[in-house]
Amino acid sequence: MSESGEMSEFGYIMELLAKGKVTIKNIERELICPACKELFTHPLILPCQHSICHKCVKELLLTLDDSFNDVGSDNSNQSSPRLRLPSPSMDKIDRINRPGWKRNSLTPRTTIFPCPGCEHDVDLGERGINGLFRNFTLETIVERYRQAARAATAIMCDLCKPPPQESTKSCMDCSASYCNECFKIHHPWGTIKAQHEYVGPTTNFRPKILMCPEHETERINMYCELCRRPVCHLCKLGGNHANHRVTTMSSAYKTLKEKLSKDIDYLIGKESQVKSQISELNLLMKETECNGERAKEEAITHFEKLFEVLEERKSSVLKAIDSSKKLRLDKFQTQMEEYQGLLENNGLVGYAQEVLKETDQSCFVQTAKQLHLRIQKATESLKSFRPAAQTSFEDYVVNTSKQTELLGELSFFSSGIDVPEINEEQSKVYNNALINWHHPEKDKADSYVLEYRKINRDDEMSWNEIEVCGTSKIIQDLENSSTYAFRVRAYKGSICSPCSRELILHTPPAPVFSFLFDEKCGYNNEHLLLNLKRDRVESRAGFNLLLAAERIQVGYYTSLDYIIGDTGITKGKHFWAFRVEPYSYLVKVGVASSDKLQEWLRSPRDAVSPRYEQDSGHDSGSEDACFDSSQPFTLVTIGMKKFFIPKSPTSSNEPENRVLPMPTSIGIFLDYDKGKVNFYDMDQMKCLYERQVDCSHTLYPAFALMGSGGIQLEEPITAKYLEYQEDM
């Protein structure tokens, strides 16, 4: 049957269905192919258990083949392949039917097919279409549906001489339809044909025995419970189902039929309940329609009120600007007229010229005195010219930033559910993000939805949503060197609160490097105090410093006390963070190589000044003029609530440019492969200082303290695993 004929037939069937002339009801959508949107024709069962027409499978595979070979060709609507493609050529169909076919493949491979039913890619295996079962059950139901819809259209006998008679039965073995007379002639009693299976008039003839698509000469006689598909005995003996659990076809038939019957009985028994629920849904839809229109009207009313207020304020502001403009222009006009009077033959100058013509001395003196005062005043105004008004309207600039922010937060009334607020101090981000929030009325919220997205300058990323029952959540697998926005909203039943303010956090440039302070290598317990967790160290200026006062008197200085991390770095990119206590006098932080640490730790303590020991690490070993491009250590100085940038030959070394406020948290990024170390302000994830470092040996996180001070490692750094724990 042609495509136009099939479409007209489908329309005819649907017309009869609408008139109530079809006996099989409410199943038509189960009989429609998801690809061509028409009744199934020779349907095949895909591995995902969806069915599709045999012809549609071929055409979709041909479409994929053509689009793969010609990337520049325009893609057509994939929902209707019958209308999209001409009839496939025989060579292409043969190529698709050939076992192991895959587009642009010369060797047998699996075939990936996009199922139009579930929109997932399914693997057709090496046999491709030949490995799919034909859905004879569905095909029979479709044929019954066609017959019910074409009750007025009789199936004619295939063996009658013209004119043919209407058939009364069809033989499944002969694949033909017969009238009563022809059936008796071709199926006489006492012959083998008399034992043929016959049914009512039909055009759908299927084989009596289902054959295995893997082994075409073998019957299907078993059912694989793992793959949930019929198989033959060769499939079980040495095929793909050799190690799978199988059962007999009769057992599978009995089990599946019982399950299906129970499910059908359950649905039939719940028919009244379903009808009542449908009625309830119809009422809810009508109520939703009414409430939605009412909400729109109320929203329009509120916005119109806002528009009225804005129009009123706009009119008032424009009126004030116009009044000020008119007043200033009047002042300028008056001043300009006064100055025009000073021009020749105008005003004062002309009058003075006339007075000069007076020859009587007494009259001249009487008039000239007053005139001189006026001219002198005009001359002074020329010497000190000052405009009568200002041209700037800076005082009339409308500040709408606050109102714009409020309008941007304009949202729906939350019906009593307060907006949750994200706690910025307790929310942190490293490889993963730990987001904490609090809710003023915590007991009123059933759950929360945490939303986050990556901020990209080029594209607007969509929000990712996570449902949370508590007031904190850990978000994993964030990208390095990225900026993320977070917000949260509360739910009470179906009622949702507005979203909280967005929290912007920056991920570090590398994965977190996890370590603790080393209590064995170089640790001086006389000067330094290390806690039991080994994540905090303090230096106290006390009795030991007083004992060193004698040395200070003869010109010696107290040296730095070093402590390092217990894990070294030999490759890759790493990031760690810590806090320096605000009361700290002098603290040095950075990295140092293993050989340099051995040199420092072997040196006698309290013997030399760190300022003049070139390799002491003071200001990266470069307080005066040492600007080595690469050295086996890099330390920066922090103290007295300041962060000191080491001297550099390429930047300004003025004190005001080298001294920055001490960040709340400081991060260090080490790129071992490139030999580079960076120091970051963790609050803004901003790089404060960058320097090359010699990475020929193992590098360790290094710290040094002098006087009172303290260093606290951040929690993700002290966790000995590179991931958060849910109980943080």
Side-chain angles (χ1 to χ4, degrees):
M1 182 180 293
S2 64
E3 295 182 8
S4 60
E6 289 181 354
M7 294 182 63
S8 61
E9 178 191 27
F10 180 70
Y12 171 69
I13 293 173
M14 297 306 295
E15 181 181 358
L16 292 179
L17 177 67
K19 294 179 180 179
K21 296 182 179 180
V22 180
T23 57
I24 303 179
K25 298 180 180 179
N26 302 326
I27 65 170
E28 57 273 7
R29 65 179 180 181
E30 303 294 334
L31 311 181
I32 303 300
C33 174
C36 61
K37 308 301 181 185
E38 300 173 8
L39 291 175
F40 281 107
T41 303
H42 305 305
L44 301 178
I45 303 177
L46 297 174
C48 59
Q49 301 305 309
H50 292 103
S51 296
I52 184 173
C53 295
H54 183 262
K55 184 178 180 181
C56 294
V57 176
K58 292 182 178 180
E59 293 181 351
L60 283 174
L61 288 176
L62 286 173
T63 305
L64 294 175
D65 184 36
D66 292 339
S67 62
F68 187 83
N69 292 329
D70 186 7
V71 179
S73 63
D74 294 331
N75 293 327
S76 303
N77 181 13
Q78 296 185 3
S79 63
S80 181
R82 292 185 184 273
L83 301 178
R84 182 179 67 254
L85 294 173
S87 298
S89 60
M90 293 305 297
D91 58 337
K92 283 191 174 183
I93 292 178
D94 180 67
R95 180 157 50 92
I96 293 175
N97 286 332
R98 197 176 304 130
W101 176 85
K102 184 179 182 181
R103 56 180 179 268
N104 282 11
S105 176
L106 299 177
T107 58
R109 299 179 184 175
T110 58
T111 302
I112 302 301
F113 178 77
C115 173
C118 59
E119 298 181 353
H120 288 84
D121 289 340
V122 294
D123 186 1
L124 300 185
E126 294 184 359
R127 291 179 57 83
I129 298 178
N130 291 339
L132 300 178
F133 281 107
R134 187 170 164 185
N135 195 339
F136 290 112
T137 302
L138 177 59
E139 196 170 339
T140 301
I141 296 174
V142 170
E143 182 59 28
R144 292 176 189 168
Y145 186 83
R146 294 178 189 271
Q147 292 180 10
R150 290 193 306 244
T153 305
I155 298 177
M156 309 309 292
C157 177
D158 295 328
L159 281 301
C160 280
K161 295 181 180 180
Q165 300 295 317
E166 181 179 345
S167 64
T168 57
K169 53 180 67 72
S170 297
C171 179
M172 301 304 293
D173 295 277
C174 300
S175 299
S177 298
Y178 302 91
C179 64
N180 287 331
E181 296 298 327
C182 291
F183 186 81
K184 293 177 182 179
I185 296 173
H186 292 85
H187 296 77
W189 287 102
T191 63
I192 297 178
K193 287 190 175 182
Q195 300 177 4
H196 286 186
E197 178 186 0
Y198 61 92
V199 295
T202 182
T203 57
N204 179 36
F205 301 100
R206 68 177 187 181
K208 293 183 63 176
I209 301 173
L210 195 61
M211 307 303 290
C212 177
E214 298 285 341
H215 311 93
E216 299 177 355
T217 60
E218 299 296 328
R219 297 182 179 181
I220 293 296
N221 54 8
M222 288 181 287
Y223 182 79
C224 178
E225 295 183 353
L226 180 62
C227 301
R228 297 183 179 180
R229 61 175 294 172
V231 296
C232 69
H233 70 282
L234 292 182
C235 293
K236 174 60 178 173
L237 291 177
N240 297 329
H241 308 270
N243 298 322
H244 297 179
R245 182 179 178 180
V246 298
T247 184
T248 62
M249 189 60 67
S250 59
S251 177
Y253 170 79
K254 182 179 179 180
T255 302
L256 293 176
K257 191 168 186 178
E258 288 179 356
K259 289 182 179 180
L260 185 59
S261 299
K262 289 181 180 179
D263 293 340
I264 293 174
D265 292 340
Y266 177 81
L267 292 176
I268 294 175
K270 296 293 182 179
E271 184 177 359
S272 58
Q273 180 180 347
V274 173
K275 289 182 178 179
S276 64
Q277 291 175 350
I278 291 175
S279 301
E280 183 179 355
L281 289 174
N282 286 328
L283 293 176
L284 292 176
M285 289 176 63
K286 293 180 181 179
E287 184 178 353
T288 302
E289 185 74 23
C290 296
N291 291 339
E293 293 299 325
R294 188 182 301 112
K296 285 176 60 177
E297 293 176 359
E298 292 178 357
I300 291 173
T301 302
H302 288 302
F303 277 103
E304 287 179 350
K305 290 181 180 179
L306 288 177
F307 294 153
E308 291 177 1
V309 173
L310 288 175
E311 285 295 334
E312 181 181 352
R313 294 301 303 159
K314 175 183 175 182
S315 177
S316 175
V317 168
L318 294 180
K319 184 177 180 181
I321 294 175
D322 289 338
S323 299
S324 178
K325 181 180 71 173
K326 184 177 182 304
L327 179 61
R328 298 182 189 191
L329 291 176
D330 291 342
K331 289 183 179 181
F332 280 127
Q333 184 65 32
T334 302
Q335 188 178 20
M336 187 170 60
E337 291 176 356
E338 291 179 358
Y339 276 85
Q340 285 179 347
L342 299 178
L343 299 178
E344 185 178 0
N345 298 323
N346 287 312
L348 184 61
V349 176
Y351 177 66
Q353 290 176 345
E354 292 297 327
V355 171
L356 289 175
K357 296 178 181 180
E358 178 64 46
T359 57
D360 189 294
Q361 294 182 357
S362 57
C363 293
F364 176 79
V365 171
Q366 182 182 12
T367 306
K369 184 178 180 180
Q370 183 182 6
L371 181 61
H372 177 69
L373 293 175
R374 292 177 62 190
I375 292 177
Q376 188 178 12
K377 184 178 180 181
T379 304
E380 291 177 356
S381 64
L382 287 175
K383 293 179 180 179
S384 59
F385 174 75
R386 179 179 295 176
Q390 294 182 354
T391 60
S392 173
F393 280 78
E394 294 179 354
D395 297 337
Y396 289 85
V397 176
V398 180
N399 183 10
T400 61
S401 58
K402 184 177 180 180
Q403 289 75 11
T404 302
E405 183 178 358
L406 292 175
L407 288 175
E409 297 176 356
L410 186 63
S411 184
F412 299 107
F413 179 62
S414 59
S415 301
I417 302 181
D418 294 330
V419 181
E421 298 179 3
I422 297 181
N423 191 324
E424 297 185 12
E425 295 181 357
Q426 297 182 3
S427 298
K428 300 178 181 180
V429 61
Y430 289 91
N431 299 92
N432 306 321
L434 173 62
I435 307 299
N436 282 278
W437 62 90
H438 63 272
H439 199 211
E441 299 182 13
K442 182 178 179 181
D443 295 336
K444 285 192 174 183
D446 296 333
S447 62
Y448 301 89
V449 171
L450 176 62
E451 299 181 351
Y452 70 97
R453 69 176 180 181
K454 181 181 177 182
I455 299 178
N456 195 326
R457 294 181 180 179
D458 299 330
D459 301 324
E460 185 71 16
M461 306 294 288
S462 59
W463 289 94
N464 300 300
E465 296 185 353
I466 302 177
E467 186 174 357
V468 186
C469 294
T471 56
S472 66
K473 182 62 180 178
I474 295 171
I475 302 175
Q476 300 179 348
D477 301 327
L478 300 179
E479 298 182 16
N480 296 327
S481 297
S482 301
T483 303
Y484 285 86
F486 302 88
R487 67 185 185 187
V488 65
R489 62 179 186 269
Y491 274 88
K492 177 66 176 179
S494 60
I495 302 175
C496 173
S497 74
C499 290
S500 65
R501 289 196 177 204
E502 294 184 12
L503 173 64
I504 307 298
L505 295 177
H506 308 273
T507 57
V512 166
F513 179 65
S514 184
F515 66 91
L516 298 173
F517 287 122
D518 194 339
E519 60 182 354
K520 299 179 180 179
C521 181
Y523 170 63
N524 185 355
N525 56 9
E526 294 181 358
H527 296 174
L528 300 179
L529 178 62
L530 186 63
N531 66 350
L532 295 178
K533 294 182 178 180
R534 294 197 290 133
D535 63 350
R536 179 180 176 84
V537 64
E538 294 183 5
S539 172
R540 297 183 177 180
F543 186 69
N544 293 319
L545 184 61
L546 294 177
L547 292 178
E550 189 175 275
R551 293 187 179 91
I552 296 176
Q553 188 176 11
V554 295
Y556 287 92
Y557 296 84
T558 302
S559 65
L560 292 165
D561 292 303
Y562 287 95
I563 190 169
I564 64 174
D566 61 356
T567 306
I569 300 173
T570 57
K571 63 179 180 179
K573 299 178 181 179
H574 305 276
F575 184 88
W576 61 93
F578 51 87
R579 299 191 304 274
V580 176
E581 297 298 339
Y583 63 81
S584 301
Y585 173 68
L586 191 153
V587 175
K588 287 180 173 292
V589 297
V591 296
S593 65
S594 54
D595 59 337
K596 179 56 67 174
L597 287 170
Q598 292 177 5
E599 177 184 340
W600 289 344
L601 299 177
R602 282 199 306 266
S603 300
R605 294 183 176 274
D606 302 335
V608 295
S609 166
R611 174 182 177 87
Y612 296 105
E613 183 194 6
Q614 182 171 333
D615 290 338
S616 67
H618 189 57
D619 280 355
S620 300
S622 176
E623 170 108 356
D624 298 318
C626 180
F627 294 123
D628 296 338
S629 60
S630 181
Q631 54 193 20
F633 66 95
T634 293
L635 300 172
V636 297
T637 303
I638 302 170
M640 302 178 67
K641 299 182 180 180
K642 301 295 182 183
F643 183 95
F644 298 90
I645 303 293
K647 289 182 178 180
S648 171
T650 59
S651 60
S652 174
N653 291 315
E654 297 297 328
E656 59 271 13
N657 297 326
R658 295 179 52 217
V659 180
L660 303 176
M662 183 180 73
T664 305
S665 181
I666 300 170
I668 296 180
F669 166 49
L670 174 63
D671 190 341
Y672 189 93
D673 300 330
K674 293 184 178 180
K676 184 175 64 175
V677 61
N678 298 69
F679 297 83
Y680 279 82
D681 178 356
M682 286 294 296
D683 294 334
Q684 303 175 355
M685 200 55 68
K686 176 183 177 182
C687 183
L688 303 177
Y689 177 64
E690 176 182 338
R691 184 180 175 87
Q692 294 294 124
V693 63
D694 182 8
C695 295
S696 58
H697 296 82
T698 303
L699 293 181
Y700 290 85
F703 306 86
L705 299 93
M706 177 187 292
S708 297
I711 301 174
Q712 173 69 56
L713 298 179
E714 295 287 4
E715 291 183 13
I717 311 303
T718 61
K720 294 299 289 182
Y721 303 94
L722 301 182
E723 60 182 5
Y724 279 97
Q725 303 297 324
E726 288 292 338
D727 57 350
M728 282 182 55

